[in-house]
Amino acid sequence: MSAQNLTLVQAVRDGLHTEMQNDEDVIVLGEDVGKNGGVFRATEGLYDEFGGDRVVDTPLAEAGIVGTSIGMAAYGLRPVPEIQFMGFIYPAFDQIISHAARLRTRSRGRFTCPMVVRAPYGGGIRAPEHHSESKEAFFVHEPGLKVVIPSTPYDTKGLLISAVRDPDPVVFLEPKLIYRAFREEVPDEEYTVPLGEAAVRREGGDVSVFTWGAMTRVTMEAAENLAAEGVDCEVVDLRTLSPLDRDAVVESFRKTGRAAVVHEAPKTGGLAGELTAIVQEEALLYQEAPVERITGFDTPYPLYALEDYYLPSVARIEDGIRNVVEY
Amino acid sequence: MGTMNIETAEGRLEALRRMCTIREFDDTASELFADGEIPGFVHLYIGEEAVAVGACSALEDDDYITSTHRGHGHCIAKGLDPERMMAELLGKRDGYCKGKGGSMHIADVDAGMLGANGIVGAGPPLATGAALGIDQRGEDRVALAFFGDGAVAQGQVHEALNLAATWSLPAVFVIENNQFGEGTPVEEQHHLDNLSETAEAYDIPGITVDGMDVTAVNEAVAEARTRARNGDGPTLVEAVTYRYRGHFEGDPQPYRDEEDVEEWRERDPIETFFQRLRDRGEITEEEFEAMRSEVETTVEEAVEYARDAPEPEPEDAYEDMFADPAPEIAQFAERLRADGGERGGDR
């Protein structure tokens, strides 16, 4: 089996390319995705290979891009709209929430919305607010949407292919901080990574640490540092945030009895609260310490001078995990 | 008008000086970005100076404007201080937004500047709102929105136009058609030859002017302002101009050739305005050189000011969330003191 060493953003491109070859109904659209290959180069070369009917440059109109995609999906195509930054998605929020998420149930299954909205999310690139935010919880809160966040190039391609083939709408959030941070072997062939399944990145018996996306790497680094102190972390990368892999969460927590959650989104209303509730509901009698939430602040994403404080750092994650273990 | 009345020789020289200041400010921002002193994203106004200065020279000092992600030119034209602007670009505490907004979010309500804006098309509704307030209070002011050709595709721009037209508000809408919405040419994004034709849909006056000519922009906006003040509602002005730099600094610009840029540079708004004033005997070559070197000094001093300004304190992250201080500030500051500031954190 042939493979290439790809970055995460190259794996996005590879996944799109694979599905565009497989299925002529797959159509990419968005701002500068065609001739320019996307602001992050995620669609590089696709316009030349598949032409302007399948890789569509749109005006700056997010509500129009997503709304049109929903119509395309209802018609029978498989649109993959790109929103340039997650913080630009709000003009399209109404279309995603009021229509994409509800088309199937509203029409009692007669209409479906097989659409993947791709958007780079998250901080660490020294840009303010809309260019750095991480608001996955908005979409997880809406029934009828699937929400996926990969953390490795291999998973990116496999999850993206699954998302494109999924019969329902998927919000596919890409951790732009690690778009080019490292490479990994990615098979040239098509393969899928199933939606809704978490991955245990590091097995351990002392404490479960749940995370996703760009935070997975810093969490792994913290876990290795703590191993030197004799704290054995189990790191679970959730990969899909909706539907959540409750079984994986509960199984890990039953083993360790202690948990921390690391996410860069603000704390209040973030997914860490939901994960805490899951372990309370399903494994209360195993619980030996409060769940620690290691998160961004309840503020708009700050400019660079304060960004290093806002984002969970290796040191802050270590501290949080120590709190749980030493409780 | 205001401090920059282009109908007087003195006002014309001030307009020229502000255009030079914008150019120098953004040339310097480009260098600072390349050197890594300005992180994040920077969108430069170079080439479009006649639009901001032409429009603002038709406004009174207490009129309002809204700006865009490409907002440095609007700020300088409206009379904001380059020192505090540069401090904001560098994320410093003495910046207009205490270093929390950056290049894309400079605002100064005292100067009538309701904000640069990272979201394309988000400014016009704010101008409509300010115009509604002006109208209800019966004030002698207007609100002017700058927005790009790309923004004309955004729904909220049309909602703003419709509201302002329907309520006959004292608003002026200025499209800066710089030929590209990010990296896609304007003709691939719109079905109209002239974006000012959009006005027909709202039954308001629409006019397209040469956005490389500061007096042409001034005249159109002055007329629009008079109309607005007479209670005759908003006007849509399209200023046709050109963005010399990429959409953002670092943009590889595969969508155009250097020759395209050179063609527009031949009609450079600063150079052509200077020549006109020189031919009228209002400024000599030597005086223009002197003006340019003064402007250089102004911007150099702004950079020094910004470099020397303090960084925001970590607990500033929680400041200005609400009128009442967030309780987290105390917890956060306490924790930072406990660990010497290394870990951040909000427990």
Side-chain angles (χ1 to χ4, degrees):
Chain A
M1 195 155 86
S2 57
Q4 289 184 76
N5 261 325
L6 298 185
T7 62
L8 196 148
V9 71
Q10 288 171 327
V12 171
R13 192 232 170 244
D14 196 24
L16 290 171
H17 183 260
T18 301
E19 283 309 274
M20 293 190 76
Q21 271 187 328
N22 276 339
D23 182 352
E24 63 177 24
D25 288 343
V26 175
I27 292 176
V28 168
L29 66 164
E31 296 160 9
D32 286 343
V33 298
K35 288 178 200 151
N36 293 314
V39 70
F40 289 106
R41 325 305 305 155
T43 54
E44 192 151 34
L46 298 180
Y47 178 90
D48 292 334
E49 184 168 347
F50 298 103
D53 283 350
R54 293 191 61 202
V55 187
V56 183
D57 279 319
T58 67
L60 308 186
E62 290 79 13
I65 294 166
V66 174
T68 302
S69 296
I70 296 169
M72 290 162 71
Y75 168 84
L77 298 170
R78 288 192 177 260
V80 186
E82 174 183 293
I83 299 295
Q84 217 164 51
F85 287 84
M86 188 185 194
F88 298 175
I89 211 167
Y90 307 120
F93 201 64
D94 174 61
Q95 289 290 344
I96 296 172
I97 300 298
S98 304
H99 306 292
R102 302 174 189 178
L103 207 56
R104 178 185 292 277
T105 174
R106 183 182 288 156
S107 67
R108 302 199 174 190
R110 286 183 301 126
F111 284 103
T112 59
C113 188
M115 166 183 78
V116 181
V117 181
R118 291 181 42 248
Y121 85 96
I125 63 160
R126 301 288 188 239
E129 288 188 41
H130 332 85
H131 291 73
S132 291
E133 58 197 37
S134 180
K135 294 294 172 62
E136 62 273 16
F138 286 162
F139 298 98
V140 172
H141 189 61
E142 180 60 33
L145 292 176
K146 296 182 181 180
V147 181
V148 176
I149 302 187
S151 72
T152 69
Y154 180 91
D155 277 3
T156 297
K157 178 174 176 181
L159 287 166
L160 183 55
I161 292 175
S162 292
V164 171
R165 294 179 185 177
D166 196 272
D168 289 304
V170 178
V171 177
F172 193 89
L173 301 173
E174 299 163 5
K176 63 177 173 292
L177 176 63
I178 55 169
Y179 257 162
R180 295 177 174 81
F182 62 103
R183 289 173 181 273
E184 186 180 44
E185 284 236 320
V186 174
D188 292 331
E189 290 74 20
E190 61 178 271
Y191 62 93
T192 58
V193 172
L195 306 188
E197 281 187 19
V200 176
R201 298 293 179 198
R202 184 185 194 285
E203 289 194 22
D206 292 339
V207 53
S208 304
V209 189
F210 302 110
T211 190
W212 53 89
M215 287 294 105
T216 307
R217 292 189 89 211
V218 268
T219 300
M220 287 296 284
E221 197 182 328
E224 293 309 326
N225 293 347
L226 288 167
E229 296 174 17
V231 176
D232 193 18
C233 299
E234 176 146 301
V235 178
V236 181
D237 172 5
L238 292 170
R239 301 197 290 193
T240 299
L241 301 181
S242 182
L244 266 173
D245 188 348
R246 295 173 72 100
D247 291 347
V249 171
V250 172
E251 188 187 333
S252 178
F253 188 75
R254 282 187 174 157
K255 186 166 79 174
T256 62
R258 297 168 191 269
V261 185
V262 183
H263 63 59
E264 56 185 288
K267 178 183 273 185
T268 301
L271 261 286
E274 185 63 28
L275 288 156
T276 304
I278 288 173
V279 300
Q280 302 260 313
E281 284 169 351
E282 304 206 18
L284 180 66
L285 297 181
Y286 294 82
Q287 186 163 0
E288 299 192 34
V291 177
E292 183 85 12
R293 293 185 284 171
I294 306 161
T295 69
F297 306 155
D298 288 344
T299 70
Y301 194 91
L303 197 58
Y304 36 87
L306 298 170
E307 164 167 67
D308 291 340
Y309 296 105
Y310 180 96
L311 283 176
S313 62
V314 172
R316 179 139 74 99
I317 295 168
E318 287 173 19
D319 277 2
I321 294 172
R322 278 193 207 101
N323 277 356
V324 182
V325 175
E326 291 165 7
Y327 182 82
Chain B
M1 286 192 270
T3 52
M4 192 167 47
N5 183 354
I6 213 166
E7 287 165 16
T8 67
E10 199 185 9
R12 285 189 286 276
L13 290 180
E14 179 57 27
L16 182 63
R17 176 187 298 274
R18 282 202 206 175
M19 288 167 73
C20 290
T21 307
I22 294 169
R23 178 73 54 95
E24 184 63 25
F25 187 93
D26 268 3
D27 275 339
T28 304
S30 173
E31 287 164 20
L32 295 176
F33 182 83
D35 293 344
E37 272 198 75
I38 302 175
F41 295 96
V42 175
H43 309 78
L44 300 181
Y45 200 69
I46 300 169
E48 307 180 30
E49 294 89 347
V51 184
V53 172
C56 288
S57 63
L59 298 180
E60 295 294 341
D61 287 344
D62 64 351
D63 287 340
Y64 287 107
I65 64 167
T66 67
S67 173
T68 70
H69 58 286
R70 197 177 307 289
H72 307 164
H74 308 136
C75 293
I76 291 170
K78 194 70 174 72
L80 270 64
D81 173 9
E83 291 189 344
R84 293 187 64 201
M85 286 176 61
M86 196 59 89
E88 190 59 39
L89 263 61
L90 266 60
K92 297 299 186 72
R93 214 177 181 191
D94 296 344
Y96 273 106
C97 302
K98 300 183 189 174
K100 290 169 85 171
S103 162
M104 274 184 281
H105 299 281
I106 297 174
D108 184 19
V109 177
D110 294 339
M113 166 58 178
L114 295 177
N117 205 314
I119 296 299
V120 171
L126 306 184
T128 293
L132 180 62
I134 291 166
D135 192 46
Q136 293 189 345
R137 298 266 169 92
E139 294 173 339
D140 183 20
R141 311 160 98 171
V142 302
L144 180 148
F146 290 105
F147 53 105
D149 48 286
V152 177
Q154 288 283 2
Q156 58 183 331
V157 170
H158 292 270
E159 295 183 29
L161 284 167
N162 183 51
L163 290 172
T166 302
W167 295 335
S168 199
L169 297 179
V172 180
F173 296 94
V174 177
I175 304 170
E176 297 178 317
N177 180 354
N178 67 15
Q179 311 304 318
F180 296 96
E182 304 193 359
T184 300
V186 62
E187 60 272 15
E188 292 178 29
Q189 303 206 27
H190 302 282
H191 193 55
L192 299 170
D193 291 332
N194 292 314
L195 296 176
S196 63
E197 291 167 34
T198 303
E200 290 173 26
Y202 304 102
D203 194 21
I204 60 173
I207 179 173
T208 295
V209 298
D210 181 0
M212 305 300 268
D213 178 351
V214 67
T215 53
V217 176
N218 172 273
E219 278 166 26
V221 173
E223 199 176 305
R225 188 183 186 283
T226 302
R227 189 176 293 121
R229 285 310 329 137
N230 287 344
D232 295 330
T235 303
L236 181 62
V237 177
E238 177 192 19
V240 179
T241 181
Y242 199 72
R243 192 186 74 205
Y244 290 1
R245 306 290 302 178
H247 165 52
F248 54 91
E249 285 300 283
D251 179 357
Q253 306 176 61
Y255 46 83
R256 70 175 175 193
D257 300 321
E258 191 52 37
E259 295 93 77
D260 302 336
V261 184
E262 287 310 315
E263 217 170 279
W264 282 83
R265 275 185 190 275
E266 285 167 20
R267 298 205 293 121
D268 185 82
I270 296 176
E271 204 53 42
T272 52
F273 189 48
F274 158 66
Q275 286 166 10
R276 202 181 309 160
L277 297 188
R278 183 198 55 199
D279 295 349
R280 291 163 64 141
E282 294 179 6
I283 188 171
T284 64
E285 298 274 355
E286 293 71 34
E287 286 163 343
F288 186 46
E289 276 312 306
M291 178 188 280
R292 289 202 138 158
S293 90
E294 282 164 26
V295 161
E296 269 175 40
T297 306
T298 302
V299 174
E300 273 167 25
E301 284 171 0
V303 173
E304 289 310 311
Y305 174 86
R307 282 179 178 151
D308 293 344
E311 299 272 343
E313 295 297 326
E315 58 260 48
D316 290 348
Y318 278 117
E319 240 179 35
D320 301 312
M321 281 304 302
F322 298 104
D324 297 329
E328 290 90 342
I329 290 182
Q331 294 169 23
F332 186 74
E334 194 180 327
R335 169 151 181 83
L336 275 168
R337 278 192 290 277
D339 71 9
E342 186 194 341
R343 288 171 171 79
D346 60 341
R347 286 190 297 269

